[in-house]
């Protein structure tokens, strides 16, 4: 029962490893400084390597993000290495909300880091999906935001223009989505079948095969109605505007 969902999960992780490798891992070396940004004004240059921010040692790009989000002051003292010289540059964040510095890191392809980051990236994606499901159940997100086959084809078609890595990411997203949805404890889904197996194991013959069949049939009917609703919604959102 769980084999299908497990395979979807494995595929999602493998694809995320590939995406991480293709996109590269951000380093502490700067590849670009945005014009008129605080970093640009401070004199930070392409090729500078960040050593510390406000005396906090920087070992990875994640450290850069963590430190700039943690500090309470608008002023950041960034220590960089430029060739053989260490320099301290003072930069101001543009505003307290976004905490913008204005630098883009160099990304390097590293298969070891890609393999290590693949499962964690998949886990973060799964947490976002569960959060979305919770918002849907609690009414914070409208059912109109759901997408079906038509929406998936539309998104992949748009993703193709952004490169192969984007297509792989979307495929991983779809595979993980199938794994999560399929294991929900709802009738007609594998999660519902697993729940029935557990209930029948605990209660014996309290639920007959006939009753279980009726429950799954009703669940399948509801899923088909949901599919029709979602498909129509996708057509209205994505297809109709093309012909206007």
């Amino acid at each position: 029962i769980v084999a299908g969902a497990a395979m979807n999960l494995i595929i999602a992780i493998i694809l995320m490893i590939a995406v991480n490798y293709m996109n590269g891992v951000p380093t502490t070396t700067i590849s670009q400084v945005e014009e008129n940004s605080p970093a640009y004004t401070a004199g930070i240059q392409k090729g500078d390597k960040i050593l510390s921010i406000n005396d906090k040692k920087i070992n990875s790009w994640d450290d850069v993000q963590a430190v700039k989000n943690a500090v309470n002051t608008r002023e950041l003292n960034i220590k960089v290495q430029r060739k053989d010289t260490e320099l301290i540059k003072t930069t101001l964040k543009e505003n307290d909300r976004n905490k913008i510095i204005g630098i883009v890191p160099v990304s390097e392809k590293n298969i070891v880091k890609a393999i290590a980051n693949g499962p964690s990236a998949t886990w973060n994606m799964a947490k976002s999906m569960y959060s979305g499901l919770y918002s849907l159940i609690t009414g914070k997100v409208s059912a109109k935001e759901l997408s079906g086959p038509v929406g998936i084809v539309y998104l992949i078609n748009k993703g193709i223009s952004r490169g192969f890595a984007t297509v792989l990411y979307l495929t991983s997203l779809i595979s993980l989505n199938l794994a999560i949805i399929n294991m929900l404890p709802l009738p007609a889904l594998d999660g519902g079948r697993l729940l029935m197996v557990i209930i029948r194991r605990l209660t014996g013959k309290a639920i007959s095969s006939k009753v279980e069949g009726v429950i799954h049939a009703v669940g399948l009917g509801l899923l088909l109605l949901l599919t029709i609703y979602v498909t129509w919604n996708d057509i209205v959102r994505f297809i109709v505007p093309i012909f206007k």
Side-chain angles (χ1 to χ4, degrees):
I1 292 176
V2 301
M7 184 54 66
N8 282 131
L9 176 60
I10 292 171
I11 291 173
I13 293 174
I14 292 173
L15 291 177
M16 284 307 298
I17 290 174
V19 170
N20 273 273
Y21 179 74
M22 293 176 68
N23 288 338
V25 178
T27 66
T28 57
T29 301
I30 299 170
S31 69
Q32 179 183 342
V33 180
E34 297 175 6
E35 288 191 13
N36 302 319
S37 67
Y40 182 87
T41 303
I44 294 176
Q45 299 178 8
K46 174 183 177 180
D48 288 351
K49 181 179 180 180
I50 301 175
L51 301 177
S52 66
I53 298 179
N54 285 13
D55 297 325
K56 300 285 187 180
K57 188 177 180 180
I58 301 299
N59 296 311
S60 67
W61 182 252
D62 287 339
D63 292 339
V64 175
Q65 301 285 55
V67 171
K68 77 170 186 175
N69 290 334
V71 295
N72 295 320
T73 175
R74 288 177 59 85
E75 187 173 274
L76 298 175
N77 291 318
I78 303 179
K79 187 177 183 180
V80 300
Q81 182 174 345
R82 182 175 301 166
K83 295 183 179 180
D84 296 327
T85 306
E86 293 185 0
L87 306 169
I88 295 180
K89 301 292 184 179
T90 300
T91 175
L92 297 179
K93 294 169 290 184
E94 290 185 356
N95 57 63
D96 289 329
R97 182 178 179 184
N98 294 324
K99 298 184 177 180
I100 295 171
I101 300 177
I103 54 177
V104 178
V106 170
S107 292
E108 62 178 15
K109 294 183 178 181
N110 187 311
I111 187 61
V112 175
K113 290 184 178 179
I115 292 173
N117 292 338
S120 61
T122 307
W123 171 245
N124 290 332
M125 197 158 53
K127 288 194 295 184
S128 297
M129 289 183 184
Y130 279 115
S131 177
L133 282 172
Y134 177 78
S135 297
L136 184 65
I137 293 171
T138 56
K140 294 180 180 179
V141 173
S142 171
K144 292 183 179 181
E145 298 298 322
L146 294 173
S147 285
V150 174
I152 290 172
V153 171
Y154 177 83
L155 291 175
I156 290 179
N157 184 57
K158 293 200 71 173
I160 289 174
S161 63
R162 299 182 181 180
F164 188 55
T166 301
V167 175
L168 288 183
Y169 176 82
L170 289 173
T171 306
S172 176
L173 183 69
I174 294 168
S175 186
L176 182 61
N177 184 74
L178 287 172
I180 290 175
I181 295 300
N182 203 27
M183 288 310 296
L184 291 177
L186 299 175
L189 299 177
D190 282 342
R193 292 174 60 204
L194 181 61
L195 179 62
M196 286 296 175
V197 169
I198 295 173
I199 292 175
R200 294 184 70 174
R201 177 61 63 89
L202 294 175
T203 63
K205 297 181 179 179
I207 298 178
S208 66
S209 297
K210 183 177 181 180
V211 171
E212 182 180 348
V214 171
I215 292 174
H216 289 314
V218 172
L220 180 60
L222 293 174
L223 285 175
L224 289 174
L225 290 175
L226 178 62
T227 301
I228 294 172
Y229 169 79
V230 169
T231 302
W232 174 251
N233 190 41
D234 281 345
I235 292 173
V236 172
R237 282 196 299 170
F238 303 126
I239 305 302
V240 173
I242 295 177
F243 297 98
K244 287 186 176 180

